[in-house]
Coordinates of all heavy atoms in Angstrom, one line a residue:
M1 N 103.7 102.9 107.4 CA 105.0 103.5 107.5 C 104.9 104.9 106.9 O 104.0 105.2 106.2 CB 106.1 102.7 106.8 CG 106.4 101.5 107.5 SD 108.0 100.7 107.0 CE 108.0 100.8 105.3
Y2 N 105.9 105.7 107.3 CA 105.9 107.2 107.0 C 107.3 107.6 106.7 O 108.2 107.1 107.4 CB 105.2 108.0 108.1 CG 104.7 109.3 107.7 CD1 103.6 109.5 106.9 CD2 105.3 110.4 108.3 CE1 103.2 110.7 106.6 CE2 104.9 111.7 108.0 CZ 103.8 111.8 107.1 OH 103.3 113.1 106.8
V3 N 107.5 108.4 105.7 CA 108.9 108.8 105.3 C 109.0 110.3 105.4 O 108.1 111.0 105.0 CB 109.2 108.3 103.9 CG1 110.5 108.9 103.4 CG2 109.3 106.8 103.8
R4 N 110.2 110.7 105.9 CA 110.5 112.1 105.9 C 111.8 112.3 105.1 O 112.8 111.5 105.3 CB 110.8 112.7 107.3 CG 111.3 114.1 107.4 CD 111.6 114.6 108.8 NE 110.3 114.6 109.5 CZ 110.2 114.4 110.8 NH1 111.3 114.1 111.5 NH2 109.0 114.4 111.4
I5 N 111.9 113.3 104.2 CA 113.1 113.6 103.4 C 113.5 115.0 103.7 O 112.7 115.9 103.5 CB 112.9 113.4 101.9 CG1 112.5 111.9 101.6 CG2 114.2 113.7 101.2 CD1 112.0 111.7 100.2
V6 N 114.7 115.2 104.3 CA 115.2 116.5 104.6 C 116.4 116.8 103.8 O 117.3 115.9 103.6 CB 115.6 116.5 106.1 CG1 116.2 117.9 106.5 CG2 114.4 116.2 107.0
T7 N 116.5 118.0 103.2 CA 117.7 118.4 102.5 C 118.1 119.8 102.9 O 117.2 120.6 103.4 CB 117.5 118.4 101.0 OG1 116.4 119.2 100.6 CG2 117.3 117.0 100.4
F8 N 119.4 120.1 102.8 CA 119.9 121.4 103.2 C 121.3 121.6 102.7 O 122.0 120.6 102.3 CB 119.9 121.6 104.7 CG 120.5 120.4 105.5 CD1 121.9 120.3 105.7 CD2 119.7 119.5 106.1 CE1 122.4 119.3 106.3 CE2 120.2 118.4 106.8 CZ 121.6 118.3 106.9
G9 N 121.7 122.8 102.7 CA 123.1 123.2 102.4 C 123.8 123.3 103.8 O 123.2 123.5 104.8
I10 N 125.2 123.4 103.7 CA 125.9 123.6 105.0 C 126.8 124.8 104.8 O 127.3 125.1 103.7 CB 126.7 122.3 105.4 CG1 127.7 121.9 104.3 CG2 125.8 121.2 105.7 CD1 128.7 120.8 104.7
T11 N 127.1 125.4 106.0 CA 127.9 126.6 106.0 C 129.3 126.3 106.7 O 130.0 127.2 106.9 CB 127.2 127.8 106.7 OG1 127.0 127.4 108.1 CG2 125.9 128.2 106.0
V12 N 129.5 125.1 107.0 CA 130.7 124.6 107.7 C 131.5 123.7 106.8 O 130.9 123.1 105.8 CB 130.4 123.9 109.0 CG1 129.7 124.9 110.0 CG2 129.5 122.7 108.8
P13 N 132.7 123.5 107.0 CA 133.5 122.5 106.2 C 132.9 121.1 106.2 O 132.3 120.7 107.3 CB 134.9 122.5 106.8 CG 135.0 123.8 107.5 CD 133.6 124.1 108.0
E14 N 133.0 120.4 105.1 CA 132.5 119.0 105.0 C 132.9 118.1 106.2 O 132.1 117.4 106.8 CB 132.9 118.4 103.7 CG 132.3 117.1 103.3 CD 130.9 117.3 102.8 OE1 130.6 118.3 102.2 OE2 130.1 116.3 103.1
E15 N 134.2 118.2 106.6 CA 134.7 117.4 107.7 C 134.0 117.7 109.0 O 133.7 116.8 109.8 CB 136.2 117.5 107.8 CG 137.0 117.1 106.6 CD 136.9 118.2 105.5 OE1 136.7 119.4 105.8 OE2 137.1 117.8 104.3
A16 N 133.7 119.0 109.2 CA 133.1 119.4 110.5 C 131.7 118.9 110.5 O 131.2 118.5 111.6 CB 133.1 120.9 110.6
Y17 N 131.0 119.0 109.4 CA 129.6 118.5 109.3 C 129.6 117.0 109.6 O 128.8 116.5 110.4 CB 128.9 118.8 108.0 CG 127.6 118.1 107.9 CD1 126.5 118.6 108.6 CD2 127.4 116.9 107.1 CE1 125.3 117.9 108.6 CE2 126.2 116.2 107.1 CZ 125.2 116.7 107.8 OH 124.0 116.1 107.8
A18 N 130.5 116.2 108.9 CA 130.5 114.8 109.1 C 130.8 114.4 110.6 O 130.1 113.5 111.1 CB 131.6 114.2 108.2
A19 N 131.7 115.1 111.2 CA 132.0 114.8 112.6 C 130.7 115.1 113.5 O 130.4 114.3 114.4 CB 133.2 115.6 113.1
H20 N 130.1 116.2 113.2 CA 128.9 116.6 114.0 C 127.8 115.5 113.8 O 127.1 115.1 114.7 CB 128.4 117.9 113.6 CG 127.1 118.3 114.3 ND1 127.0 118.7 115.6 CD2 125.8 118.4 113.8 CE1 125.8 118.9 115.9 NE2 125.0 118.8 114.9
A21 N 127.6 115.1 112.5 CA 126.6 114.1 112.2 C 126.8 112.8 113.0 O 125.9 112.2 113.6 CB 126.6 113.8 110.7
E22 N 128.1 112.4 113.1 CA 128.4 111.2 113.9 C 128.1 111.4 115.4 O 127.6 110.5 116.0 CB 129.9 110.8 113.7 CG 130.2 110.2 112.3 CD 131.6 109.7 112.2 OE1 132.2 109.2 113.2 OE2 132.1 109.9 111.1
A23 N 128.4 112.6 115.8 CA 128.1 112.9 117.3 C 126.7 112.9 117.6 O 126.3 112.5 118.7 CB 128.8 114.2 117.6
V24 N 125.8 113.4 116.7 CA 124.4 113.5 117.1 C 123.6 112.3 116.6 O 122.4 112.2 117.0 CB 123.8 114.8 116.5 CG1 124.4 116.0 117.1 CG2 123.7 114.8 115.0
A25 N 124.1 111.4 115.9 CA 123.4 110.2 115.4 C 122.7 109.4 116.5 O 121.5 109.1 116.4 CB 124.3 109.3 114.6
P26 N 123.3 109.2 117.7 CA 122.6 108.5 118.8 C 121.3 109.2 119.2 O 120.4 108.5 119.6 CB 123.7 108.4 119.9 CG 125.0 108.5 119.2 CD 124.7 109.5 118.0
A27 N 121.3 110.5 119.2 CA 120.1 111.2 119.6 C 118.9 110.9 118.7 O 117.8 110.8 119.1 CB 120.3 112.7 119.6
F28 N 119.2 110.8 117.4 CA 118.1 110.4 116.5 C 117.7 108.9 116.7 O 116.5 108.6 116.6 CB 118.6 110.5 115.0 CG 118.7 111.9 114.5 CD1 119.9 112.6 114.6 CD2 117.6 112.6 114.0 CE1 120.0 113.9 114.2 CE2 117.7 113.9 113.6 CZ 118.9 114.6 113.6
A29 N 118.6 108.1 117.0 CA 118.3 106.7 117.3 C 117.4 106.5 118.5 O 116.7 105.5 118.6 CB 119.6 105.9 117.5
D30 N 117.3 107.5 119.4 CA 116.4 107.4 120.5 C 115.0 107.8 120.2 O 114.1 107.7 121.1 CB 116.9 108.3 121.6 CG 118.2 107.8 122.3 OD1 118.5 106.6 122.2 OD2 118.9 108.6 122.9
W31 N 114.7 108.3 119.0 CA 113.3 108.7 118.7 C 112.4 107.4 118.7 O 112.6 106.5 117.9 CB 113.2 109.4 117.4 CG 113.7 110.8 117.4 CD1 114.2 111.5 118.4 CD2 113.8 111.6 116.2 NE1 114.5 112.8 118.0 CE2 114.3 112.8 116.6 CE3 113.5 111.4 114.8 CZ2 114.5 113.9 115.7 CZ3 113.7 112.4 114.0 CH2 114.2 113.7 114.4
P32 N 111.3 107.4 119.5 CA 110.4 106.3 119.4 C 109.7 106.2 118.1 O 109.3 107.3 117.6 CB 109.4 106.6 120.5 CG 110.1 107.5 121.5 CD 111.0 108.3 120.6
G33 N 109.7 105.1 117.5 CA 109.0 104.9 116.2 C 109.9 105.2 115.0 O 109.4 105.0 113.9
L34 N 111.1 105.6 115.2 CA 112.0 105.8 114.0 C 112.6 104.5 113.7 O 113.3 103.9 114.5 CB 113.1 106.8 114.3 CG 114.1 107.1 113.2 CD1 113.4 107.7 112.0 CD2 115.3 107.9 113.7
L35 N 112.4 103.9 112.5 CA 112.8 102.6 112.1 C 114.2 102.7 111.5 O 115.0 101.7 111.5 CB 111.9 102.0 111.1 CG 110.4 101.9 111.6 CD1 109.6 101.3 110.5 CD2 110.4 101.0 112.8
G36 N 114.6 103.9 111.0 CA 115.9 104.1 110.4 C 116.1 105.5 109.9 O 115.1 106.1 109.5
K37 N 117.4 105.9 109.8 CA 117.7 107.2 109.2 C 118.9 106.9 108.3 O 119.9 106.3 108.7 CB 118.0 108.2 110.2 CG 118.4 109.6 109.5 CD 118.8 110.7 110.5 CE 119.2 111.9 109.6 NZ 119.7 113.0 110.4
W38 N 118.8 107.4 107.0 CA 119.9 107.4 106.1 C 120.4 108.8 105.9 O 119.7 109.7 105.6 CB 119.5 106.8 104.8 CG 119.1 105.3 104.9 CD1 119.9 104.3 104.6 CD2 117.9 104.8 105.4 NE1 119.2 103.1 104.8 CE2 118.0 103.4 105.3 CE3 116.7 105.3 105.9 CZ2 117.0 102.5 105.8 CZ3 115.7 104.5 106.3 CH2 115.8 103.1 106.2
W39 N 121.7 109.0 106.2 CA 122.4 110.3 106.1 C 122.8 110.5 104.7 O 123.5 109.6 104.1 CB 123.5 110.3 107.1 CG 123.1 110.2 108.5 CD1 122.7 109.0 109.1 CD2 123.0 111.2 109.5 NE1 122.4 109.2 110.4 CE2 122.5 110.6 110.7 CE3 123.2 112.6 109.5 CZ2 122.3 111.3 111.9 CZ3 123.0 113.3 110.6 CH2 122.5 112.7 111.8
L40 N 122.5 111.6 104.1 CA 122.8 111.9 102.7 C 123.9 113.0 102.6 O 123.9 113.9 103.4 CB 121.6 112.4 102.0 CG 120.3 111.5 102.1 CD1 119.1 112.1 101.5 CD2 120.6 110.1 101.6
A41 N 124.7 112.9 101.6 CA 125.7 113.9 101.3 C 126.0 113.9 99.8 O 126.3 112.9 99.2 CB 127.0 113.7 102.1
D42 N 126.0 115.1 99.2 CA 126.4 115.3 97.8 C 127.4 116.5 97.9 O 127.0 117.7 97.8 CB 125.3 115.6 96.9 CG 125.7 115.8 95.4 OD1 126.9 115.8 95.2 OD2 124.8 116.0 94.6
A43 N 128.7 116.2 98.1 CA 129.6 117.3 98.3 C 129.8 118.2 97.1 O 130.0 119.4 97.2 CB 131.0 116.7 98.7
D44 N 129.6 117.6 95.9 CA 129.7 118.4 94.6 C 128.6 119.5 94.6 O 128.9 120.6 94.1 CB 129.5 117.5 93.4 CG 130.7 116.5 93.2 OD1 131.8 116.8 93.8 OD2 130.5 115.5 92.5
S45 N 127.4 119.2 95.0 CA 126.4 120.3 95.0 C 126.3 121.0 96.4 O 125.5 122.0 96.4 CB 125.0 119.7 94.6 OG 124.5 118.9 95.7
G46 N 126.9 120.4 97.4 CA 126.8 121.0 98.7 C 125.5 120.7 99.4 O 125.1 121.3 100.4
T47 N 124.8 119.7 98.9 CA 123.5 119.2 99.5 C 123.7 118.1 100.4 O 124.4 117.1 100.1 CB 122.5 118.8 98.3 OG1 122.4 119.9 97.4 CG2 121.2 118.4 98.9
H48 N 123.1 118.2 101.6 CA 123.1 117.1 102.6 C 121.7 116.9 103.1 O 120.8 117.7 102.7 CB 124.0 117.5 103.7 CG 125.4 117.7 103.3 ND1 125.9 118.7 102.6 CD2 126.5 116.9 103.5 CE1 127.2 118.6 102.3 NE2 127.6 117.4 102.9
G49 N 121.5 115.9 103.9 CA 120.2 115.7 104.5 C 120.0 114.3 105.0 O 121.0 113.6 105.3
G50 N 118.8 113.8 105.1 CA 118.5 112.5 105.6 C 117.2 112.0 105.1 O 116.3 112.8 104.8
V51 N 117.0 110.7 105.1 CA 115.8 110.0 104.8 C 115.4 109.3 106.1 O 116.3 108.5 106.6 CB 115.9 109.1 103.6 CG1 114.6 108.3 103.4 CG2 116.3 109.8 102.3
Y52 N 114.3 109.5 106.6 CA 113.8 108.9 107.9 C 112.7 108.0 107.6 O 111.7 108.4 106.9 CB 113.3 110.0 108.8 CG 114.3 111.1 109.1 CD1 114.6 112.1 108.2 CD2 114.9 111.3 110.4 CE1 115.5 113.1 108.5 CE2 115.7 112.3 110.7 CZ 116.0 113.2 109.7 OH 116.9 114.3 110.0
L53 N 112.7 106.8 108.2 CA 111.6 105.9 108.0 C 111.0 105.7 109.4 O 111.6 105.3 110.3 CB 112.1 104.6 107.5 CG 111.0 103.5 107.3 CD1 110.0 104.0 106.2 CD2 111.6 102.2 106.8
F54 N 109.7 106.1 109.5 CA 109.0 106.0 110.8 C 107.9 104.9 110.7 O 107.4 104.6 109.6 CB 108.2 107.3 111.0 CG 109.1 108.5 111.3 CD1 109.5 109.4 110.3 CD2 109.6 108.7 112.6 CE1 110.3 110.5 110.6 CE2 110.4 109.8 112.9 CZ 110.8 110.7 111.9
A55 N 107.6 104.4 111.9 CA 106.6 103.3 111.9 C 105.2 103.9 111.5 O 104.4 103.2 110.8 CB 106.4 102.8 113.4
D56 N 105.0 105.2 111.8 CA 103.7 105.8 111.4 C 103.8 107.3 111.4 O 104.8 107.8 111.9 CB 102.5 105.3 112.2 CG 102.8 105.4 113.7 OD1 103.5 106.4 114.2 OD2 102.4 104.5 114.5
R57 N 102.8 108.0 111.0 CA 102.8 109.4 111.0 C 102.8 110.0 112.4 O 103.5 111.0 112.7 CB 101.5 109.9 110.3 CG 101.4 111.5 110.2 CD 100.1 111.9 109.6 NE 100.0 111.5 108.3 CZ 99.7 112.3 107.2 NH1 99.5 113.6 107.5 NH2 99.7 111.8 106.0
A58 N 102.2 109.3 113.4 CA 102.3 109.8 114.8 C 103.7 109.9 115.3 O 104.1 110.8 116.0 CB 101.4 108.9 115.6
A59 N 104.5 108.9 114.9 CA 105.9 108.9 115.4 C 106.7 110.1 114.7 O 107.5 110.7 115.4 CB 106.6 107.6 115.0
A60 N 106.4 110.3 113.4 CA 107.0 111.5 112.8 C 106.6 112.8 113.4 O 107.4 113.7 113.7 CB 106.7 111.5 111.3
D61 N 105.3 112.9 113.8 CA 104.8 114.1 114.4 C 105.5 114.3 115.8 O 105.9 115.4 116.1 CB 103.3 114.0 114.7 CG 102.5 114.0 113.4 OD1 103.0 114.5 112.3 OD2 101.3 113.7 113.4
R62 N 105.6 113.2 116.6 CA 106.3 113.3 117.9 C 107.7 113.8 117.7 O 108.2 114.6 118.5 CB 106.2 112.0 118.6 CG 104.9 111.7 119.2 CD 105.0 110.5 120.1 NE 105.5 109.3 119.5 CZ 104.8 108.4 118.8 NH1 103.5 108.5 118.7 NH2 105.4 107.4 118.3
S63 N 108.4 113.3 116.7 CA 109.8 113.7 116.5 C 110.0 115.1 116.3 O 111.1 115.7 116.6 CB 110.4 112.9 115.3 OG 110.0 113.4 114.1
R64 N 109.0 115.8 115.7 CA 109.2 117.3 115.5 C 109.2 118.1 116.8 O 109.6 119.2 116.8 CB 108.1 117.8 114.6 CG 108.3 117.4 113.1 CD 107.3 118.1 112.2 NE 106.7 117.1 111.4 CZ 105.5 116.6 111.6 NH1 104.7 117.0 112.6 NH2 105.0 115.6 110.9
D65 N 108.8 117.5 117.9 CA 108.8 118.1 119.2 C 109.9 117.7 120.1 O 109.8 117.5 121.3 CB 107.4 117.9 119.9 CG 107.2 118.8 121.1 OD1 107.7 119.9 121.1 OD2 106.6 118.3 122.0
T66 N 111.1 117.4 119.4 CA 112.3 117.0 120.2 C 113.4 118.1 120.1 O 113.4 118.9 119.1 CB 112.9 115.7 119.7 OG1 113.3 115.9 118.3 CG2 111.8 114.6 119.7
D67 N 114.2 118.1 121.1 CA 115.4 119.1 121.0 C 116.2 118.8 119.8 O 116.7 119.7 119.2 CB 116.2 119.0 122.3 CG 115.5 119.5 123.5 OD1 114.5 120.3 123.3 OD2 115.9 119.1 124.6
T68 N 116.4 117.5 119.4 CA 117.2 117.2 118.2 C 116.6 117.8 117.0 O 117.4 118.4 116.1 CB 117.3 115.7 118.1 OG1 117.8 115.1 119.3 CG2 118.2 115.3 117.0
F69 N 115.3 117.7 116.7 CA 114.7 118.2 115.5 C 114.8 119.7 115.5 O 115.2 120.4 114.5 CB 113.3 117.8 115.4 CG 112.7 118.2 114.1 CD1 112.8 117.4 112.9 CD2 111.9 119.3 114.0 CE1 112.3 117.8 111.7 CE2 111.3 119.7 112.8 CZ 111.5 118.9 111.6
R70 N 114.5 120.4 116.7 CA 114.6 121.8 116.8 C 116.0 122.3 116.6 O 116.2 123.3 115.9 CB 114.0 122.3 118.1 CG 112.5 122.3 118.2 CD 112.0 123.0 119.4 NE 112.3 122.2 120.6 CZ 111.6 121.2 121.2 NH1 110.5 120.9 120.6 NH2 112.0 120.7 122.3
A71 N 117.0 121.6 117.1 CA 118.4 122.0 116.9 C 118.7 122.0 115.4 O 119.5 122.9 114.9 CB 119.3 121.1 117.7
M72 N 118.2 121.0 114.7 CA 118.5 120.9 113.2 C 117.9 122.1 112.5 O 118.5 122.7 111.7 CB 118.0 119.6 112.7 CG 118.1 119.4 111.2 SD 117.3 118.0 110.5 CE 115.6 118.4 110.7
T73 N 116.6 122.4 112.8 CA 115.9 123.4 112.0 C 116.4 124.8 112.4 O 116.2 125.7 111.7 CB 114.4 123.3 112.2 OG1 114.1 123.3 113.6 CG2 113.9 122.0 111.6
D74 N 117.0 124.9 113.6 CA 117.4 126.2 114.1 C 118.9 126.5 113.8 O 119.4 127.6 114.1 CB 117.2 126.4 115.6 CG 115.7 126.5 115.9 OD1 114.9 126.7 115.0 OD2 115.4 126.2 117.1
S75 N 119.6 125.5 113.3 CA 121.1 125.6 113.2 C 121.5 126.6 112.1 O 121.1 126.5 111.0 CB 121.7 124.2 112.9 OG 123.1 124.3 112.6
P76 N 122.4 127.5 112.5 CA 123.0 128.4 111.5 C 123.9 127.7 110.5 O 124.3 128.3 109.5 CB 123.7 129.5 112.3 CG 124.0 128.8 113.6 CD 122.9 127.8 113.8
A77 N 124.3 126.5 110.9 CA 125.2 125.7 110.0 C 124.5 125.1 108.8 O 125.1 124.6 107.9 CB 126.0 124.7 110.8
L78 N 123.2 125.1 108.9 CA 122.3 124.5 107.8 C 121.5 125.6 107.2 O 120.9 126.4 107.8 CB 121.4 123.4 108.4 CG 122.1 122.4 109.3 CD1 121.0 121.4 109.8 CD2 123.2 121.7 108.6
T79 N 121.5 125.6 105.8 CA 120.8 126.6 105.1 C 119.8 125.9 104.1 O 120.0 124.8 103.7 CB 121.7 127.5 104.3 OG1 122.4 126.7 103.3 CG2 122.7 128.2 105.2
G80 N 118.7 126.7 103.8 CA 117.8 126.2 102.8 C 117.1 124.9 103.2 O 116.9 124.0 102.3
I81 N 116.8 124.7 104.4 CA 116.3 123.4 104.9 C 114.9 123.1 104.2 O 114.0 124.0 104.3 CB 116.1 123.3 106.4 CG1 117.5 123.5 107.0 CG2 115.4 122.0 106.8 CD1 117.4 123.6 108.5
T82 N 114.7 121.9 103.6 CA 113.4 121.5 103.2 C 113.1 120.2 103.9 O 113.9 119.3 104.1 CB 113.3 121.3 101.7 OG1 114.2 120.2 101.3 CG2 113.7 122.5 100.9
V83 N 111.8 120.1 104.3 CA 111.3 118.9 105.0 C 110.0 118.5 104.3 O 109.1 119.3 104.2 CB 111.0 119.2 106.5 CG1 110.4 117.9 107.2 CG2 112.2 119.7 107.2
R84 N 110.1 117.3 103.7 CA 108.9 116.7 103.1 C 108.5 115.4 103.7 O 109.4 114.6 104.0 CB 109.1 116.6 101.6 CG 109.5 117.9 100.9 CD 109.0 118.2 99.6 NE 107.7 117.7 99.2 CZ 107.5 117.2 98.0 NH1 108.5 117.1 97.1 NH2 106.3 116.7 97.7
E85 N 107.3 115.1 103.8 CA 106.9 113.9 104.5 C 105.8 113.2 103.6 O 105.0 113.8 102.9 CB 106.3 114.1 105.9 CG 107.4 114.7 106.8 CD 107.0 114.9 108.2 OE1 105.7 114.9 108.5 OE2 107.8 115.1 109.0
F86 N 105.9 111.8 103.6 CA 105.0 111.0 102.8 C 104.5 109.8 103.4 O 105.3 109.2 104.2 CB 105.8 110.5 101.5 CG 106.5 111.6 100.7 CD1 107.7 112.1 101.1 CD2 105.8 112.2 99.7 CE1 108.4 113.1 100.4 CE2 106.4 113.2 98.9 CZ 107.7 113.7 99.3
D87 N 103.3 109.3 103.1 CA 102.9 108.0 103.5 C 103.6 107.0 102.5 O 103.9 107.4 101.4 CB 101.3 107.9 103.2 CG 100.5 108.7 104.3 OD1 100.8 108.5 105.5 OD2 99.6 109.4 103.8
V88 N 103.8 105.8 103.0 CA 104.4 104.7 102.2 C 103.3 103.9 101.7 O 102.4 103.5 102.4 CB 105.4 103.9 103.1 CG1 105.9 102.7 102.3 CG2 106.5 104.7 103.5
L89 N 103.3 103.6 100.4 CA 102.3 102.7 99.8 C 102.7 101.3 100.1 O 103.8 100.8 99.6 CB 102.2 102.9 98.3 CG 101.8 104.3 97.8 CD1 101.8 104.5 96.3 CD2 100.4 104.6 98.4
A90 N 102.0 100.6 100.9 CA 102.4 99.3 101.4 C 102.5 98.2 100.4 O 103.5 97.5 100.4 CB 101.3 98.8 102.5
A91 N 101.6 98.0 99.5 CA 101.6 96.9 98.6 C 102.8 96.9 97.6 O 103.6 96.0 97.5 CB 100.3 96.8 97.8
P92 N 103.0 98.0 96.9 CA 104.2 98.0 96.0 C 105.5 98.0 96.7 O 106.5 97.5 96.3 CB 104.0 99.3 95.1 CG 103.1 100.1 95.9 CD 102.2 99.2 96.7
T93 N 105.6 98.6 97.9 CA 106.8 98.7 98.7 C 107.2 97.3 99.2 O 108.3 96.9 99.2 CB 106.7 99.6 99.9 OG1 106.4 100.9 99.4 CG2 107.9 99.7 100.7
A94 N 106.2 96.4 99.5 CA 106.4 95.1 99.9 C 107.1 94.3 98.8 O 107.8 93.3 99.0 CB 105.1 94.4 100.4
V95 N 106.8 94.7 97.5 CA 107.4 94.0 96.4 C 108.8 94.5 96.1 O 109.7 93.7 95.9 CB 106.5 94.2 95.1 CG1 107.3 93.7 93.9 CG2 105.2 93.6 95.3
T96 N 109.0 95.8 96.2 CA 110.4 96.3 95.9 C 111.3 96.4 97.1 O 112.5 96.6 96.9 CB 110.2 97.7 95.3 OG1 109.5 98.6 96.2 CG2 109.4 97.7 94.0
A97 N 110.8 96.3 98.3 CA 111.6 96.2 99.5 C 111.1 95.1 100.4 O 110.6 95.3 101.5 CB 111.5 97.6 100.2
P98 N 111.3 93.8 99.9 CA 110.7 92.7 100.7 C 111.2 92.5 102.1 O 110.5 92.0 102.9 CB 111.1 91.5 99.8 CG 112.2 92.0 98.9 CD 112.1 93.4 98.7
D99 N 112.4 93.0 102.4 CA 112.9 92.9 103.8 C 112.1 93.8 104.7 O 112.1 93.6 105.9 CB 114.4 93.4 103.9 CG 115.3 92.4 103.2 OD1 114.9 91.2 102.9 OD2 116.4 92.7 102.9
L100 N 111.4 94.8 104.2 CA 110.5 95.7 105.0 C 109.1 95.2 105.0 O 108.3 95.8 105.6 CB 110.6 97.1 104.5 CG 112.0 97.8 104.6 CD1 111.9 99.2 104.0 CD2 112.4 97.9 106.0
A101 N 108.8 94.1 104.2 CA 107.4 93.7 104.1 C 106.7 93.5 105.4 O 105.5 93.9 105.6 CB 107.3 92.4 103.2
V102 N 107.4 93.0 106.4 CA 106.7 92.8 107.7 C 106.5 94.1 108.4 O 105.5 94.2 109.1 CB 107.6 91.8 108.6 CG1 108.9 92.5 109.0 CG2 106.8 91.3 109.8
V103 N 107.3 95.1 108.1 CA 107.1 96.4 108.7 C 105.9 97.2 108.0 O 105.2 97.9 108.6 CB 108.4 97.2 108.7 CG1 108.2 98.6 109.3 CG2 109.5 96.5 109.5
V104 N 105.9 97.0 106.7 CA 104.9 97.8 105.9 C 103.5 97.4 106.2 O 102.6 98.2 106.2 CB 105.2 97.6 104.4 CG1 104.2 98.2 103.5 CG2 106.6 98.1 104.1
R105 N 103.3 96.1 106.5 CA 101.9 95.6 106.6 C 101.2 96.1 107.9 O 101.3 96.5 108.8 CB 101.9 94.1 106.6 CG 102.2 93.6 105.2 CD 102.1 92.2 105.1 NE 102.6 91.8 103.8 CZ 103.1 90.7 103.5 NH1 103.2 89.7 104.3 NH2 103.6 90.4 102.3

């Protein structure tokens, strides 16, 4: 498995961002190999983002070549975007996230 963590600030009101996130969520769900996405928000700091769980690095690589990913990285409503990606350590993750054990192996 492979994880992507994205964080950014927003230049639009919180309610507008939340409505947009709900509207575009189905486009992310269509990404082959995306096992899940958790939408993040810290209104106090103005930080938003997402944690993406992919089946493998190849799925994450493919997702970067989608209109949805490009729209996110090109959006003037999002500032200071950071994208970090990581391999998942299978053995300890199977212990701490047993519901994912079948996916991790």
Side-chain angles (χ1 to χ4, degrees):
M1 288 192 322
Y2 201 66
V3 172
R4 173 182 297 149
I5 302 172
V6 177
T7 58
F8 48 81
I10 59 174
T11 63
V12 297
E14 189 75 30
E15 299 78 22
Y17 172 75
H20 177 73
E22 286 184 38
V24 299
F28 287 95
D30 287 341
W31 285 356
L34 180 67
L35 304 176
K37 177 181 178 185
W38 293 261
W39 298 75
L40 308 175
D42 179 358
D44 290 340
S45 72
T47 303
H48 295 74
V51 176
Y52 304 71
L53 181 63
F54 293 96
D56 51 35
R57 183 183 294 230
D61 290 345
R62 283 190 305 272
S63 75
R64 282 189 236 100
D65 193 30
T66 63
D67 290 339
T68 306
F69 187 83
R70 283 189 293 274
M72 177 187 67
T73 57
D74 294 341
S75 174
L78 309 181
T79 62
I81 298 171
T82 64
V83 178
R84 302 219 29 222
E85 296 182 346
F86 305 88
D87 290 311
V88 173
L89 298 176
T93 300
V95 173
T96 58
D99 291 342
L100 296 176
V102 70
V103 177
V104 174
R105 292 183 186 157

